[in-house]
Amino acid sequence: MKLVRFGEAGQERPGLIDTNGDLRDLSAEVADIDGAALAPETLARLAALDASTLPVVNGAPRLGPCVGKVGKLVGIGLNYSDHAAEAGMDVPSEPIVFLKATTAISGPYDDVQLPAGAEKVDWEIELAFVIGTRARNVSKAEALSHVAGYTIVNDVSERAWQAERQGQWTKGKSHDTFAPMGPWLVTADEIADPHDLGMRLDVDGERRQDGSTQTLIFGIDHLVSYLSTFMTLEPGDVVTTGTPPGVGLGMKPQVFLKDGQVMRLEIDGLGVQQQTCVRQPST
């Protein structure tokens, strides 16, 4: 299934995309696409519905982030071998973990803010997985059974704030709109192999990133197991798994986002998202 949330920001309703590409309203079935809706028994009930009997949503409503009420948004850094090489850094021996503020989450077609005073805002296409059942100290063998589905996250990053302002990466990753999510959550049963997905990002129509999850250093099963030893992963938590090469930081000379530029992101089987960069005025 392709599960979505549609409507104005803060007032999104649950929906699904049927086999014809039509948006159907799920409001009579679940309150939201959130942790409660991602339980295996609820997903099974939704999958058993005859989508043609659900109300069609006419027009072109805004698509919001495909998961609501996200409790934790966890990031993994330097998780592609070719991206580590691009950054001139050693392949990590363990996953590099950081947190993004959940207030950074935005819709897949919402504008991305370039904060006043920020000059090194960068793009990062990432495969994200969403937890469906609580994971605490789980083994790699059972890890994927805790994943409800997959989506795209643009891990937008202000590099100066991330690396030049002391402390942890979180403050370079957490500004409002720095985590566009969607367009939809694709349930895990529809993704045959999350470790074999092509991923592409363009800026103003120019290809910047063209990679594959085949070069992930730590796979989804490893990450679920690893993270669950340090924190309990709850239904609706989102983990974004790293980016392939082609970020602005790695270019020579470095290139960063400017007002009015358009990013387009696509991962095989997970759809397309697109954002326009908008410079925020000084206060």
Side-chain angles (χ1 to χ4, degrees):
M1 288 182 293
K2 294 181 175 67
L3 300 173
V4 300
R5 300 170 70 248
F6 64 95
E8 296 301 314
Q11 302 178 39
E12 293 94 347
R13 297 164 62 183
L16 64 77
I17 305 298
D18 68 17
T19 56
N20 294 321
D22 292 326
L23 173 58
R24 301 279 180 164
D25 193 339
L26 279 175
S27 298
E29 304 294 334
V30 290
D32 199 356
I33 305 299
D34 58 7
L38 298 178
E41 58 273 17
T42 304
L43 290 181
R45 177 172 61 82
L46 295 179
L49 294 172
D50 180 354
S52 67
T53 65
L54 298 171
V56 173
V57 180
N58 294 313
R62 168 188 174 270
L63 291 183
C66 57
V67 183
K69 305 182 185 72
V70 175
K72 290 190 289 295
L73 177 55
V74 183
I76 306 296
L78 292 176
N79 197 30
Y80 282 74
S81 55
D82 37 7
H83 175 52
E86 166 189 60
M89 302 181 72
D90 294 335
V91 171
S93 59
E94 295 187 36
I96 295 172
V97 180
F98 60 91
L99 295 176
K100 289 175 76 86
T102 56
T103 48
I105 295 171
S106 58
Y109 300 102
D110 293 346
D111 291 342
V112 164
Q113 299 174 12
L114 303 182
E119 298 298 336
K120 296 184 179 181
V121 181
D122 205 350
W123 56 85
E124 293 190 28
I125 184 173
E126 305 207 3
L127 170 69
F129 63 85
V130 184
I131 297 296
T133 58
R134 177 179 289 177
R136 182 174 183 269
N137 289 321
V138 302
S139 67
K140 284 182 65 175
E142 63 178 317
L144 291 182
S145 68
H146 294 271
V147 174
Y150 301 92
T151 190
I152 304 171
V153 168
N154 188 354
D155 178 23
V156 182
S157 307
E158 211 297 340
R159 300 301 190 185
W161 295 1
Q162 176 185 353
E164 302 170 22
R165 294 288 298 275
Q166 304 291 327
Q168 301 178 346
W169 287 6
T170 296
K171 59 189 172 187
K173 300 280 191 173
S174 292
H175 195 273
D176 293 356
T177 75
F178 273 22
M181 184 182 298
W184 36 70
L185 172 66
V186 180
T187 51
D189 60 294
E190 293 199 7
I191 302 299
D193 184 1
H195 304 107
D196 187 19
L197 301 175
M199 46 205 312
R200 298 160 291 279
L201 182 145
D202 298 343
V203 178
D204 287 348
E206 182 176 348
R207 183 62 42 88
R208 295 297 192 185
Q209 293 184 272
D210 191 353
S212 169
T213 58
Q214 290 180 349
T215 63
L216 276 168
I217 298 167
F218 303 106
I220 310 303
D221 52 349
H222 185 108
L223 293 174
V224 173
S225 177
Y226 182 85
L227 290 170
S228 76
T229 66
F230 300 101
M231 64 187 81
T232 299
L233 298 174
E234 296 282 4
D237 286 350
V238 178
V239 180
T240 186
T241 61
T243 198
V247 298
L249 180 69
M251 299 178 69
K252 294 182 174 53
Q254 294 177 343
V255 175
F256 298 110
L257 292 165
K258 298 178 181 178
D259 187 34
Q261 289 191 304
V262 175
M263 295 177 283
R264 183 184 187 276
L265 298 79
E266 180 177 15
I267 295 181
D268 294 346
L270 299 182
V272 174
Q273 59 171 242
Q274 181 170 298
Q275 303 94 36
T276 299
C277 299
V278 177
R279 172 67 65 183
Q280 299 301 290
S282 300
T283 56

